[in-house]
Every structure is written in structure tokens, then in C-alpha cells.
Amino acid sequence: MGLKGKLVAQIEMKCAGDLFHEHFKLNPLQTSTMSPDKITNFTLHEGQLGSTGSVVSWKFVLGGKERHAKQVLHIDDAKKSILLKVI
């Protein structure tokens, strides 16, 4: 039985929000080189980077175990937001 709900997180950054938005919109492949102990892999399955409806997957370390999440991206440039829906 799975959990159903909405997870919202806020983090504090030491960079401008525009840089963060552009990084995850256009260059998320670099996340694993920026934080190799937390993000181990990024793969684009469908669509193009930076476009709504693209399907991506991440491999990340959580609690000492490697996890996998497949997501659909919804990008809103006006609000500078990126919504990741886990599938």
C-alpha cells in the first residue's frame, strides 16, 4: 500500500533564484557533479530538457540507500517554478 499526498519543501540557497531555476530547467545533468554524494544519476526519458511534459529519472542517496524516482516536469517560467510529479 502506497502513500498518497503532496510534499512541499522549501530550502535556503546561497544563489539567486533565477540561477537555480535555469539550472534545473536547462542543465539538471550537472546536479550529480555538484552533489555526487546525494544525486548519483539523471536520465532524460522523453521530451526535451526545459520543456513541460518531459519525463526524467533521478538516482539519489537517502538514508544510506540508493533510491530511484521517475518524474514528469511541469515548468512555469512566469513564476520561476518547476513542479516534479512522481510517476
Side-chain angles (χ1 to χ4, degrees):
M1 179 185 212
L3 295 174
K4 185 176 180 179
K6 189 175 189 178
L7 175 65
V8 177
Q10 292 183 357
I11 59 170
E12 199 170 312
M13 301 179 299
K14 293 183 180 180
C15 72
D18 291 343
L19 293 174
F20 189 76
H21 177 76
E22 290 299 316
H23 169 75
F24 278 97
K25 178 182 172 187
L26 301 174
N27 203 11
L29 298 165
Q30 292 297 319
T31 306
S32 60
T33 57
M34 293 168 45
S35 182
D37 57 326
K38 294 178 179 56
I39 308 292
T40 58
N41 191 8
F42 172 84
T43 306
L44 176 67
H45 293 282
E46 294 177 22
Q48 291 182 325
L49 287 178
S51 64
T52 295
S54 297
V55 177
V56 300
S57 66
W58 299 85
K59 286 187 182 177
F60 56 95
V61 177
L62 181 64
K65 296 181 181 176
E66 188 170 77
R67 311 287 178 149
H68 181 265
K70 195 169 186 180
Q71 303 165 332
V72 178
L73 299 177
H74 295 277
I75 300 170
D76 186 349
D77 287 325
K79 292 182 182 178
K80 299 285 185 198
S81 69
I82 298 175
L83 175 68
L84 304 169
K85 287 189 159 187
V86 177
I87 53 174

